[in-house]
Amino acid sequence: MSRWTAEDMPPQRGRTAVVTGAAGLGFETARALARAGAQVIVASRNPETGADAIARIKSETPSARVRFEAVDLGDLGSVAALAGRLRDQIHGLDLLINNAGVMTPPRRMETADGFELQFGANYLGHFALTALLLPLLMNAGPARVVTVSSIAARQGRINFSDLQAREAYNPMLVYAQSKLACLMFAQELQRRSQARGWGVTSMAAHPGISRTRLLYNAPGGPTRLRRTLRALLWFMFQPVPQGALPQLFAATASAAEGGAYYGPDGFAELNGFPTQARIPRPATDKAACLRLWEVSEDLTGVRFPVKP
């Protein structure tokens, strides 16, 4: 694979995209898609951050068709409300980028629905959103869903006996579980779409290590460890636009393949240009992916349709 950049992105005019998250990778993804001509809906919890993102994109690309929609991925009612508004506003959805997330709050926190925050917001919220937007994705014809995982997924294990980390809470291991779940979801979605004729291509991507504000925006604020790592390992962090390339490649490149996982091509996938990433062994367990899917439907109360 050549050194693919945003300049290689094919024109996106006539396509509609939803990107969750208004800062960091979400902002860069929305900006690149809008610049390429897509109609972009930025969905995020913070209206101020969303308004700033929209203003910045329009200042750089006055012709950009971009707007903000509020959603709290830690509240299934908010997710359902967003999906309902979008179904009223648009007929089809070409791209869904499940990007937003929260990382390593130092103490265990819960979503509005009583789920552990990272598992709930990073994974279950996106699971429910994808299911509720599936009719729009199918209406668009050959649509794509890109779910953002993390190199932390390599450390992840799906603890089915304690998914909500009530018995034991380790911030990084719980974060890794949530991101492994995102990767497993992306693969199971691809298998189901192929088997049921949904016409949706599902992929996953990770940004390597990028200079986003995620570490600093985590609930609890920037810990001493986060500040120290950022200061000592600054040379390993790539710029945010570079970190967004794998998900942009998955979303738009003709060479992107359903069920694939994309990340940077550099050492240990920490930085570089988009290429196929190594899929952690737990994510290759089809039985575990199926079990996670079924558990997720039970937890969220949201069901994917059997057929179009």
Side-chain angles (χ1 to χ4, degrees):
M1 187 180 300
S2 61
R3 304 185 104 193
W4 191 92
T5 72
E7 300 303 317
D8 298 308
M9 188 188 309
Q12 298 298 300
R13 187 165 300 281
R15 307 188 81 196
T16 300
V18 169
V19 180
T20 64
L25 296 169
F27 170 76
E28 295 297 341
T29 299
R31 176 163 69 174
L33 289 172
R35 185 183 298 148
Q39 174 184 320
V40 182
I41 300 164
V42 178
S44 178
R45 184 174 59 87
N46 190 322
E48 293 182 2
T49 304
D52 178 66
I54 302 305
R56 289 172 62 192
I57 292 171
K58 287 187 173 180
S59 70
E60 296 174 0
T61 308
S63 62
R65 296 182 302 154
V66 58
R67 62 185 176 85
F68 173 78
E69 286 283 349
V71 66
D72 182 350
L73 289 162
D75 182 341
L76 293 176
S78 177
V79 172
L82 169 64
R85 294 195 304 274
L86 293 178
R87 290 195 300 265
D88 288 339
Q89 295 166 3
I90 59 177
H91 174 72
L93 179 62
D94 300 277
L95 297 174
L96 172 60
I97 315 295
N98 291 323
N99 165 83
V102 61
M103 183 177 182
T104 61
R107 61 182 178 83
R108 184 183 180 279
M109 302 174 69
E110 292 189 348
T111 68
D113 305 287
F115 304 127
E116 186 279 322
L117 180 61
Q118 296 181 92
F119 189 74
N122 295 354
Y123 169 60
L124 289 175
H126 283 121
F127 178 92
L129 181 63
T130 305
L132 294 169
L133 293 181
L134 190 59
L136 293 181
L137 291 162
M138 291 191 295
N139 285 346
R144 296 189 188 188
V145 175
V146 180
T147 302
V148 179
S149 183
S150 166
I151 56 173
R154 298 173 188 170
Q155 306 172 45
R157 296 292 183 274
I158 305 298
N159 185 355
F160 285 105
S161 64
D162 189 25
L163 280 176
Q164 310 306 329
R166 293 189 175 94
E167 297 178 10
Y169 178 74
N170 177 299
M172 180 51 76
L173 292 182
V174 172
Y175 175 72
Q177 174 184 249
S178 75
K179 286 301 184 177
L180 175 62
C182 287
L183 177 54
M184 293 168 70
F185 164 62
Q187 294 190 302
E188 182 65 17
L189 177 60
Q190 174 64 18
R191 285 190 285 267
R192 289 181 177 240
S193 180
Q194 285 184 313
R196 293 162 171 78
W198 291 343
V200 175
T201 300
S202 171
M203 290 161 278
H206 78 80
I209 300 183
S210 300
R211 300 188 192 104
T212 71
R213 292 184 292 171
L214 185 59
L215 287 170
Y216 285 82
N217 288 344
T223 65
R224 179 178 298 177
L225 175 60
R226 294 175 187 141
R227 288 193 296 263
T228 301
L229 288 175
R230 182 100 172 212
L232 295 179
L233 303 178
W234 60 270
F235 57 91
M236 297 172 63
F237 288 74
Q238 61 182 350
V240 181
Q242 186 84 10
L245 290 181
Q247 59 204 66
L248 285 167
F249 178 89
T252 66
S254 61
E257 301 175 358
Y261 184 33
Y262 294 99
D265 64 359
F267 173 73
E269 300 178 11
L270 298 178
N271 47 46
F273 294 86
T275 192
Q276 288 215 18
R278 179 173 64 86
I279 298 177
R281 181 172 295 179
T284 65
D285 185 337
K286 293 182 180 179
C289 291
L290 174 59
R291 182 182 179 187
L292 177 65
W293 183 287
E294 292 173 342
V295 168
S296 302
E297 287 192 329
D298 289 341
L299 290 173
T300 62
V302 175
R303 298 289 188 273
F304 280 72
V306 174
K307 59 183 179 180

